[in-house]
Amino acid sequence: MNFNKVLDNVSIYEAGKPIELVVREYGINPKDIVKLASNENPYGTSPVVTSKIKEIAENMFVYPDDSMYELKEALSNKFDVKESNVIVGSGSDQILEFCVHAKCDSNSKILMSNTTFAMYEIYGKQTGSKILKTKDDEHNLEQFSSMYKEHGADIIFLCLPNNPLGECLDKDDVYAFLETINKDTLVVVDGAYQEYASFKDKRKNINPKDLISKFSNCIYMGTFSKAYALGGMRVGYGIASDNIIETLYKLRAPFNITTLSLAAAIEALKDEEFVHECIVKNFDEMKRYEEYAKTKGFDYIDSYTNFITIKLGELYSSKEVAQNLLERGVIVRDLTGYGVNAIRITIGTISQNTKVFKVLDTVLDKLK
Ligand SMILES: *Cc1c(COP(=O)(O)O)cnc(C)c1O
């Protein structure tokens, strides 16, 4: 059968491996498996959110409130913006998709960092757009600028902090860059890990209200999947000028998130204390990974997120290391597919991390 030709160039997104797969393929007991491949919050969902979900589970025969009134109100209060500046999606992924489809066709260009969130390229290619990448893996604004001057772009993606590498640009540098960008270029600031970055270093903090009032061509993207511990609920949001949000709404199907997801997100916003505690623990545990990498002589990228990317140098192949960890019940992300010989590990709980170090010791010994 013939399909839309642009899809010939589209690759399928490879998600982090699920626990079920490791149980099936290697016969490991699910409780012995450590899954640190998708940057979920390892401390689980806040108990108040879980009990809210159980409480409303009886109402599932009714469609959700399609206006999402309560959640949009809570988000607009949190960020001090108007409700007309907010759109909610099935994960921020869906908002990314809306942005690309709203702006691009086969004559468009999309500019991004060489190693960044894979969905930018996938959504871009779905529209037949040309994908432009900077030379460096990590975000380099000089390279962004010179490529923008040379080729222009319909969309620029800035992942702040960047997944899968973990680095983050300073707000002041980002603003100086944005000053030079044409108002007809949509700039997507993906803040999936902003809660972590702004805790670690105030200079990284991008405030959505400030961003969109200074730059009407920017959209800020946030998610409940990471720090807010609701990856399974699929809730994300975009914050932008009325004009951008109105346009994105044209691409939205009704009831694009569920009743449970709505309630969970609303409840999660009431328990910021939980989020804060998780972030504190995250950076405490991250120190152990930094120490571990140093002991083994590996370079790592200074991370502003809930994961760390460890470069394996010349001696080891990240593909092999990740596979050997998997067979022993530790799921991490191999970055070979991104063209980098590194593994990305989500920072787990104390006991999960202790297990990672132990199993990693065994694997590195074996592959030496
Ligand atoms: C996790 C992630 C997202 C979105 O996740 P959703 O679960 O779809 O909200 C977006 N961007 C980056 C960089 C991410 O890591």
Side-chain angles (χ1 to χ4, degrees):
M1 187 182 290
N2 284 314
F3 292 101
N4 187 335
K5 279 273 169 282
V6 296
L7 296 181
D8 292 350
N9 285 323
V10 177
S11 21
I12 295 172
Y13 183 80
E14 204 187 311
K17 296 198 166 58
I19 289 178
E20 292 79 357
L21 175 140
V22 181
V23 174
R24 251 186 347 259
E25 292 200 354
Y26 306 106
I28 301 173
N29 191 327
K31 72 173 186 4
D32 294 327
I33 295 173
V34 173
K35 178 181 189 281
L36 296 172
S38 300
N39 305 337
E40 290 134 333
N41 185 327
Y43 303 101
T45 305
S46 147
V48 291
V49 176
T50 312
S51 65
K52 185 71 186 182
I53 293 168
K54 286 182 185 152
E55 185 192 313
I56 63 157
E58 290 170 14
N59 301 335
M60 287 311 106
F61 60 101
V62 208
Y63 275 117
D65 168 12
D66 192 49
S67 77
M68 304 189 195
Y69 179 80
E70 248 190 289
L71 178 56
K72 282 171 63 180
E73 188 187 34
L75 286 168
S76 70
N77 286 338
K78 177 178 163 70
F79 294 111
D80 189 26
V81 294
K82 292 178 298 175
E83 278 153 53
S84 56
N85 297 131
V86 181
I87 185 169
V88 174
S90 170
S92 57
D93 243 305
Q94 190 175 43
I95 316 288
L96 291 170
E97 183 181 14
F98 292 166
C99 288
V100 176
H101 287 264
K103 189 74 183 140
C104 297
D105 59 29
S106 58
N107 296 314
S108 305
K109 292 173 196 157
I110 304 179
L111 176 58
M112 65 189 75
S113 196
N114 192 34
T115 299
T116 190
F117 193 47
M119 291 312 299
Y120 307 154
E121 179 167 353
I122 293 177
Y123 291 132
K125 286 186 170 171
Q126 287 173 359
T127 63
S129 296
K130 187 167 181 198
I131 308 297
L132 305 169
K133 294 181 175 180
T134 59
K135 188 164 139 288
D136 285 5
D137 289 321
E138 296 179 30
H139 283 62
N140 178 324
L141 286 175
E142 275 164 33
Q143 292 176 5
F144 268 89
S145 280
S146 67
M147 290 192 71
Y148 185 71
K149 275 193 197 107
E150 188 177 344
H151 306 281
D154 297 275
I155 299 188
I156 299 174
F157 281 106
L158 296 177
C159 194
L160 307 173
N162 187 23
N163 177 16
L165 300 181
E167 93 279 6
C168 193
L169 297 170
D170 284 0
K171 183 202 83 175
D172 288 348
D173 298 335
V174 173
Y175 276 25
F177 171 72
L178 292 176
E179 296 284 356
T180 69
I181 301 302
N182 187 301
K183 287 290 178 253
D184 194 45
T185 299
L186 177 67
V187 182
V188 177
V189 172
D190 186 344
Y193 304 91
Q194 263 291 319
E195 293 87 357
Y196 296 96
S198 48
F199 171 86
K200 180 169 174 176
D201 185 344
K202 293 283 167 279
R203 286 172 301 182
K204 312 293 179 189
N205 183 17
I206 302 238
N207 175 287
K209 182 188 182 175
D210 190 52
L211 178 77
I212 68 167
S213 52
K214 286 200 171 65
F215 306 102
S216 59
N217 56 327
C218 282
I219 180 164
Y220 177 91
M221 218 74 87
T223 180
F224 286 89
S225 300
K226 310 287 161 55
Y228 284 85
L230 285 174
M233 280 292 169
R234 316 301 307 119
V235 194
Y237 53 89
I239 299 177
S241 66
D242 295 14
N243 171 248
I244 294 176
I245 297 298
E246 237 174 70
T247 306
L248 299 186
Y249 256 92
K250 296 183 181 178
L251 292 154
R252 190 189 73 101
F255 314 116
N256 60 325
I257 70 169
T258 69
T259 305
L260 290 177
S261 313
L262 272 176
I266 293 162
E267 211 56 30
L269 286 175
K270 295 179 190 160
D271 195 5
E272 298 281 0
E273 173 89 21
F274 168 83
V275 175
H276 179 78
E277 283 165 14
C278 294
I279 294 173
V280 172
K281 286 188 256 186
N282 174 68
F283 286 111
D284 282 346
E285 285 300 300
M286 192 178 295
K287 289 193 197 109
R288 297 176 66 203
Y289 279 91
E290 293 170 352
E291 282 310 313
Y292 185 87
K294 279 180 200 153
T295 313
K296 299 284 168 184
F298 295 136
D299 284 337
Y300 60 86
I301 299 170
D302 201 15
S303 171
Y304 294 86
T305 65
N306 66 343
F307 60 82
I308 187 163
T309 294
I310 299 177
K311 297 179 178 173
L312 295 181
E314 318 250 285
L315 290 176
Y316 299 95
S317 123
S318 60
K319 193 169 178 188
E320 253 184 299
V321 170
Q323 178 58 30
N324 274 271
L325 288 171
L326 189 69
E327 289 163 15
R328 290 163 181 80
V330 174
I331 318 175
V332 303
R333 201 62 182 263
D334 163 35
L335 299 188
T336 303
Y338 289 85
V340 187
N341 186 37
I343 51 173
R344 187 196 72 187
I345 310 176
T346 306
I347 309 299
T349 61
I350 296 183
S351 62
Q352 286 179 319
N353 300 331
T354 302
K355 172 152 182 175
V356 171
F357 300 137
K358 194 166 142 237
V359 178
L360 200 46
D361 276 345
T362 312
V363 167
L364 293 174
D365 257 358
K366 180 192 157 203
L367 296 176
K368 197 153 56 186

